[in-house]
Every structure is written in C-alpha cells, then in structure tokens.
Amino acid sequence: APRTARRTLDLLTRAHLLQPARPGRFGTHDLLRAYADRLSRTDDSEAERQQALTRLFDHYLGAAAAAMDTLYPAERHHRPAAAPPTATLPDIGDPARARAWLDAERPTLAALCAVAADRGSPGHAVRLAALLFRYLDAGHHTEALEIHRHALRAAGTTGDRAGQAHALTNLGVAHWRLADSASAADHLVRALALHRTTGDRAGQARTLSNLGNVHWRLGNLPEAARDHRQALGLYEDIGDQVGRARTLTNLGNVCLRLGEYEQAAAHQRQALALHDLTGDRIGRARTLTHLGNACSRLGEYEQAAAHQRQALALFRQLGHAGGEAYALSGLGDVRLGQGDFEAAAAHQHHALDLFRENGERYGEASALNGLGEALHAAGRHEEALAHHTTAATVAATTGETDQRTRAHAGAAHARQAMAAPGSAAAAGTAGAPGLRPVTGRPVVVQPPVTAPRP
C-alpha cells in the first residue's frame, strides 16, 4: 500500500540506503545497488528473481495502459490489452497527471523494455512498446527508436511475426519523423509484408498510410495517393473510423501539394467530422492544422487563423510539442499572408525552436523557410537569405523536395532584392523590423504543407 511504502522509503532514507532525487523519487548509490544485486543472486533463486521482474513488468504495463487510455482514449482499440496491475496504480486519472507520469517514467520504461527483451519476458517488451507509440510520437523520437528496437528484437526471439510487424511500423514512423526516409521506407515495406502474412488488415492499413507519408515527403505524389487510398479502403472495410480520419487527413495533404485546394479542404473537413464522432482529440488537432493550411491556400486567412489557433490550444493541452510546432508554423504563414510580418517571424521562431528540440528536420526546414519569407517581406533580405540557405542545407539531408525548392526560390528572391538599386541591402542597411506593407493589402503567399499524420 502507498502509506506503507512511504514509511519504508522514509526509513531507508534516514538509514542512508536510499537518496531522495526529487519529490516522490528516490535513487540508490551505485555501490549499494551492486551490493544488493550480489545479495539477491546469492540468496534468491532464479525463479524468485524472475517472478519479481514479472511483477515489475506487469505493474508498468498496466500503469502505462491506464495512462495511455487517459491521454488517447479514442485509440484504445489500436493498442494491445493489458491487465490492471495488482499493486496500486499511480494517480493518473486526468490527462495532465497521466502525461506527467509518462514523462517522469520515460527512462525507466525504456530500460524495462530492454530488460524484458533480454531477461525472459519478450512479450512485455513488445506490448509496452506498442502501448507507448502515440506518446513517444509526440516528440520523443530518439527514445522511440530505442524502445521499438527492443520490441523488434524481443518479437524476433519468439517468432512473433505480428509483434515484429508492429515494431517495424513504429520504427518506420520514428525514422520518418527524424527525416530518414530511406530507413522509414525500408521498415514500412518489411512491416507491410509481415502484416499481409499474418492477415492483419488494420496493420496493413496503418502501414500503407505511413508509407504514403514517406512518398509524400519524397515528392512521389501518385504513389502517396495510391497508398492512402488503399489504406482508406481497408479502414472502411473493417469499420475503423479513427484510421479513416487519419488517412483522409493524409490524402488531403497530397491533394494540397497537387494544387487541388478545394478537394484538400473537403478531405480535412470530412476527417474533422469523424474526429468529432470518435472523440480523437489529437487527430482533431492535427486535422485542424492541415485544414488551416488548405484555407490559407484558398486565401481564407481568417478561417485559417482560427483553425491554427484551435489546433495550437489542443496541442498544448495534450502536451504535444511536435504538433504545437506545426500549428505555430502554420499560423506564421497565415500572418505573413495577412501582411503582419512581425507576428509571422515570431511564430516561425517559436516553431523553429520546438522543431530543433524534437529533432524534426522537415519541420525545421519549413520553419526556416517561413522565417526567411517573413524577413524578406519585412525588407530584411540579408537575414532572409541566411535562413533560406540554412533551410536548403537542412532539406538536403531529408531527401524531400518541396522545402528544398522553397528554400532555393526564397534565396533567389532575397538576392534579387539585395541587388536591386535603392534597396536597403544595396545601400548597406537592413530593413526595419516588423515592417508592414504601405498599402495594407495582404501579401499572397503559398504556405507549405506540414507533415501528415502517422
């Protein structure tokens, strides 16, 4: 019981056998830990040690499942089942506490996956990694690679082809987030073959839609549309409304890059209606971001701003830093279109910091380009050129084409403006920060398409 545990912890702390790390957290000196391990190996049987580990794995599996159900209830059917732990659950009854628990336990959860994979409980590693996917996808991409690799290794030791397929899909998404499209495609193609072997149609649909995202990023738009339509058909056949909504959002992004703005907005609105039915808050936030992008392309700036602000508020409530960055970048594009260059630059700066913190290189290139465009419009052409040049360098590492093309175009515009007779740059002075157009008319821009949804 928690009360007994607290008394015992206090006693051990007074005896200097434990060390308080922060409120509610305790650590052990490395020498004492090694001594305790040696005592256990001497005095406890291997069966007792394995039973203790199993109790620990069961507890964390049940607690993680409860936290994920609190944070992402609409996706419960996509996650493996976990029996509630026999011990008392932590206090994770609302989203803020569930997220705080996951944040605090993230290093332990990664360590548990490794131990479970190597110490006779591979099923725990496979299920724990699958449970944590959506949380890790919110911006913890390095940890996602580590945890899903443990799951893949664990599933391989037992011949669990379904577990291998899901781990490969999750690894493909993590590599895609980190702009390693080649690795993402390799993992997803392997996953798709295994899902087909096991007859997992939901797994096939999810993998196909993520493969479509890879093609989208690489500029292979016909292939991207094909993958998303196949995924959409599978989701419709099995009646998975959450999967349908996600795939409609992804298909809308393909339409947006093809210049089919009305169709893109229609797909996003259809996805939004499905999110309202399923209660998928993270899906709703992402679709609002993409709908905002479509409205920007259609010149509907007020609607676009409203959608991006709603998305931003939802992402912040959910603690989703990656989504927050895309909403901020999208809002920056809207402000640029409205002629508010100072606000546009501020939003892109904030988004850029978040993208760099999360390691999302595609988003980083997008925010750099958005920042360059805002500075160029404000007359600060040298700064704009520097940001577009950096964006081109970042985009070259991701293998995608749209941000690289955008960076080269922005750099060319900046150089042209700097060379123009009478320009501030040609005269050796920078433009005024936050400069707005004299006429007050909106500047028509073509904002980027932000990353789709895995």
Side-chain angles (χ1 to χ4, degrees):
R3 181 176 296 179
T4 303
R6 288 192 193 96
R7 285 201 299 266
T8 306
L9 289 167
D10 290 341
L11 176 63
L12 292 170
T13 301
R14 289 197 299 273
H16 305 291
L17 296 174
L18 289 181
Q19 300 166 330
R22 59 184 186 275
R25 297 278 159 176
F26 298 83
T28 307
H29 192 283
D30 289 346
L31 291 175
L32 186 57
R33 187 189 300 272
Y35 175 62
D37 184 57
R38 191 170 68 198
L39 281 181
S40 178
R41 291 178 186 278
T42 301
D43 297 337
D44 301 327
S45 70
E46 186 55 36
E48 289 172 321
R49 288 166 57 82
Q50 189 61 45
Q51 288 167 8
L53 276 177
T54 299
R55 288 195 300 272
L56 186 67
F57 297 149
D58 284 343
H59 172 73
Y60 272 98
L61 195 66
M68 293 300 294
D69 286 349
T70 299
L71 275 177
Y72 306 106
E75 299 182 72
R76 186 180 287 110
H77 64 292
H78 287 173
R79 293 188 290 268
T86 55
T88 304
L89 274 175
D91 184 10
I92 49 179
D94 65 60
R97 287 199 293 267
R99 186 168 58 250
W101 183 85
L102 287 165
D103 289 342
E105 296 287 359
R106 193 166 63 245
T108 301
L109 292 166
L112 283 168
C113 276
V115 173
D118 296 330
R119 292 285 298 276
S121 293
H124 282 100
V126 172
R127 285 185 289 161
L128 186 57
L131 275 170
L132 293 171
F133 166 77
R134 184 60 63 193
Y135 164 73
L136 296 171
D137 187 54
H140 311 297
H141 308 309
T142 303
E143 292 98 330
L145 287 178
E146 177 188 358
I147 288 172
H148 296 313
R149 282 171 181 154
H150 292 320
L152 181 60
R153 185 175 77 256
T157 61
T158 60
D160 178 4
R161 290 187 295 180
Q164 291 177 64
H166 287 291
L168 284 166
T169 300
N170 294 339
L171 278 168
V173 173
H175 281 294
W176 178 76
R177 287 290 189 196
L178 294 169
D180 186 352
S181 295
S183 293
D186 175 67
H187 284 85
L188 291 169
V189 168
R190 290 163 58 196
L192 185 59
L194 281 172
H195 282 309
R196 285 171 172 162
T197 299
T198 63
D200 185 349
R201 302 177 78 195
Q204 292 174 50
R206 178 170 172 251
T207 304
L208 276 166
S209 195
N210 280 293
L211 196 55
N213 289 344
V214 174
H215 285 304
W216 174 90
R217 179 164 289 176
L218 294 173
N220 304 327
L221 300 183
E223 292 87 346
R226 176 204 63 203
D227 290 339
H228 290 315
R229 289 194 178 101
Q230 287 183 27
L232 191 60
L234 285 167
Y235 278 131
E236 288 172 348
D237 287 345
I238 61 178
D240 189 332
Q241 303 288 53
V242 172
R244 281 187 64 205
R246 290 194 191 127
T247 306
L248 282 165
T249 292
N250 293 341
L251 187 56
N253 273 334
V254 176
C255 293
L256 196 60
R257 193 175 289 185
L258 288 169
E260 301 167 357
Y261 305 146
E262 294 284 359
Q263 185 62 54
H267 283 315
Q268 304 301 354
R269 290 191 175 99
Q270 188 178 355
L272 204 59
L274 288 173
H275 290 315
D276 289 341
L277 288 174
T278 64
D280 186 357
R281 298 178 72 206
I282 192 69
R284 178 178 176 78
R286 284 174 163 154
T287 300
L288 281 167
T289 298
H290 300 307
L291 181 56
N293 293 334
C295 289
S296 289
R297 292 291 181 96
L298 291 167
E300 300 167 355
Y301 293 117
E302 290 302 326
Q303 289 186 36
H307 294 318
Q308 298 291 5
R309 283 195 299 267
Q310 290 176 47
L312 184 60
L314 268 174
F315 281 129
R316 285 173 172 167
Q317 288 175 20
L318 294 165
H320 198 297
E324 180 182 349
Y326 280 112
L328 282 166
S329 187
L331 194 55
D333 293 322
V334 174
R335 294 307 181 212
L336 176 59
Q338 292 176 318
D340 189 347
F341 308 144
E342 187 175 5
H347 288 314
Q348 298 291 2
H349 262 303
H350 193 175
L352 181 60
D353 289 341
L354 289 172
F355 283 131
R356 285 175 168 167
E357 184 179 336
N358 295 336
E360 292 203 36
R361 302 285 278 169
Y362 178 86
E364 180 182 354
S366 175
L368 281 164
N369 277 324
L371 184 54
E373 288 159 1
L375 293 170
H376 173 71
R380 296 160 62 175
H381 307 306
E382 290 184 15
E383 294 173 76
L385 177 60
H387 288 300
H388 284 305
T389 301
T390 305
T393 301
V394 173
T397 69
T398 68
E400 52 76 34
T401 57
D402 69 319
Q403 294 303 328
R404 188 167 51 204
T405 301
R406 185 183 177 196
H408 291 319
H413 293 153
R415 291 192 186 96
Q416 184 178 9
M418 291 166 63
S423 70
T429 61
L435 183 67
R436 288 170 171 74
V438 175
T439 63
R441 296 163 55 196
V443 177
V444 178
V445 294
Q446 296 295 319
V449 184
T450 55
R453 304 179 60 243

